[in-house]
Amino acid sequence: MTPDPTTPAAPAAAPDLLYTAAEDELRAAVRALLDDRASDHAAALARAEAGGPHDPALWRTLAAGIGAAGLLVPEKLGGQGASHREAAVVLEELGRSVTRLPYLTSSVLATEALLGCDTDRPAVAALLGSLAAGTAVAVLAVPLTLGPGSPPPAAVRDTGGALDGSVTAVADAAGADVLLVPADTGLYAVPAAAVTITPQTPLDLTRPLARVTFREAYGELLAGPATAPAVLERALRTGAGLLASEQLGLAEWCLAETVRHVRGRHQFNRPIGSFQALKHRLAQLWLEIAGARAAARNAADALATGAPDTDLAVAVAQAACSRAAVHAAEECVQLHGGIGMTWEHPAHLYLKRAKADALALGTAGHHRTRVAALAGLPGPQA
Amino acid sequence: MSARPTGPAAGSHGPDATAAAASASPAELRRRTEEFLAAHPPADTGRTDFLRARFDAGLAWVHYPEGLGGLGAPRALQAVVDTALEAAGAPDNDPRRIGIGLGMAAPTLLAYGTEEQKRRFLRPLWVGEEVWCQLFSEPGAGSDLAALGTRAVREEATGDWIVDGQKVWTSSAHVARWAILVARTDPALPKHQGITYFLCDMTDPGVEVRPLRQITGEAEFNEVFLTGVRIPDAHRLGAVGQGWEVARTTLMNERVSIGGMRLPREGGMIAPVAALWRERPELRTHALHERLLELWVDAEVARLTAERLRQQLAAGRPGPEGSGMKLSFARLNQEISGLEVELRGEEGLLYDDWTMRRPDLVDFTGRGAGYRYLRSKGNSIEGGTSEILLNIVAERVLGLPAEPRDDKDLPWKDLAR
Ligand SMILES: Cc1cc2nc3c(=O)[nH]c(=O)nc-3n(C[C@H](O)[C@H](O)[C@H](O)COP(=O)(O)OP(=O)(O)OC[C@H]3O[C@@H](n4cnc5c(N)ncnc54)[C@H](O)[C@@H]3O)c2cc1C
């Protein structure tokens, strides 16, 4: 299952869209941990409102105890040498519990960026090793909305050896130790202590955002101007492909929770779940989620095997999963009625995460535009 | 007094062939297929002879039992056989013509038929020498099939059944040699209990087939009048009064038969639209582009979902996704063909041919965009409407409660109609 990054376009074998026994085991371990330590939504919400960072003890257990942070990192660099398929399973579980942990940002996006750099260089290898071990958190200093296939951002400039500029909507910047910054002269690693991180109020309370300001900040060059764009693209593509699994997990929780609710809630002397109008809506949602699962698995498998159609698989998964997750969360709020509008009920956390995820790493519209290019279906002007 | 040899556990996907699974590995099947091809070179063998021999070699549907066209092998291994045969240019048993036989009559016969019935019917069915049709729906009983009123009365002296009634929307009745038929054998019982399942000879006196012209101009389906039709008791499938249970096996198979279909990327209804889009840049608009991309993505997702279902079946873990595939494809076919008509602009106002014909197969791709648009409206009606399928997903997959109903315990003869 371990992908070999040196062999790109493997022959187009049929994708494996199921879960392996090892993936099922990993899921069980992650779910047990999150059920035990992250199922108290009220506590998590209070913590987020207080503006504190993620729960470091929980992060250590997931990252190092279960080894989830190093799934994408080869063993010789201190990781688990697993693949995107396993990382996707972790993200499904994190989506299911909307847990506030820097997994997508540090263990996927930043890790994948570092894997795209020259891993023989001690600076790259050392940072990768500490991300894999969960002893450091790194995030890409780009707006969370940046999708694959976008022009590289030009917010940070190299002014004679030091970096200047500012980036907004950087996810998980607040708890990060290192920022990976695409600047005009390449990709740099900058210690968090060397920059100003100003928290922003996020729509999605479970994924904190911040403005990161670089003022004569010194960093270590990880990739020069020739390779940095490809490194960033690799990170964004992987991030988008795996975000689909987080969206899938989120959607599944919303459906399961809504079904549970409508079976138990009585109005008009019947369970509301026996009304056909609601049954049809939930059956439609189930169909959409079945599609999202196939698309998310396909993207994870394509990333893992280096399939030649990975770009298309990612774009299709993002287009399908963004919609399914938002639809599921919106139905969850609506079919819970007044309860669904309350701060106490966790439905709003899921809605906020779903909507923010729909913007993250490219909207569904952005990814459909990618499909147009990749599948040869140009618009009117072309 | 159960007359059911294998029972409905065979369910919607035919028999579970776990026991004999070991007898056929992919390599073993490839070898058998090569051997078969060597003995029956497609170039020198007539179509019917080739298909008969293929059935007898157990390479027709490998998951069926030995002697009945199969080898008791896992269903997934059929692909190994099909690929090798296709590569050798072998004739196929075009499922468009014999879809009802293959997808519905066969699995029901396998689950409920006597040995004699299976041996008599399965081979000509598979080869396509005998086309089947489905005499289920009636003017007063469509979605509510269990309300059907066609009567079958047993003749004391002979044990034969005498059938009277009217069926409707019967696809292919005009080319069918046999029919699966449900009829009421006890009107005093509640509607689900008084039904019995029969195999009806369409050439018998008393069977009258009248074309029913449809929305597309042609007559693919028919009205069928049954007047004093005599059916021997040997052509009863399952026990007397067990018809509803048997019919459910047929219906489940009808609904999932599409789920097992394997399409390439951009296969199916999206293919002609995507091709047209590429060939005719002058037709493109921004609004149509948005819709095309959404539908292209939806079609790809439906394809992947079907592929995932297939993999689940192959891994022996049948998932509930199958019941959803018919819903997805019905919606997609309708939206995509609707888009295609609009995309064609002025040409979209034209239709290829309104001639009243009685086609012997359903041909979506051989006709124009207008035909596809109109014919696909049937996809959400035939084989269970989308509304009924959504009820099934909601109740059987999601476990939502059934709506209260008062028709289950009343004798059929006392129901409102
Ligand atoms: C092209 C085509 C081919 C066909 N071929 C055959 C064939 O070969 N053999 C055969 O036996 N039949 C065949 N049929 C018939 C088909 O199975 C029936 O038309 C179908 O089951 C619906 O029944 P109905 O037409 O009586 O509609 P009705 O049952 O009267 O339904 C009308 C509308 O009400 C809705 N409705 C009904 N009950 C409910 C409910 N409980 N909840 C919500 N909505 C409901 C339906 O979804 C539909 O929209 C064919 C139909 C078509 C269109």
Side-chain angles (χ1 to χ4, degrees), chain A residues 276 280, chain B residues 100 134-138 141-144 168-171 214 220-221 375 378 381-385 387-388 391:
Chain A
Q276 194 180 59
H280 282 193
Chain B
I100 292 174
Q134 180 195 26
L135 293 174
F136 277 26
S137 302
E138 299 181 4
S143 299
D144 187 10
V168 72
W169 308 305
T170 316
S171 305
Q214 65 205 45
E220 185 191 305
F221 54 33
R375 179 58 184 82
I381 300 173
E382 59 196 337
T385 67
E387 288 76 17
I388 295 296
N391 287 346

Side-chain angles (χ1 to χ4, degrees), chain A residues 76-89:
Chain A
K76 64 178 194 302
L77 292 167
Q80 308 296 316
S83 81
H84 303 83
R85 292 177 54 95
E86 287 83 0
V89 167

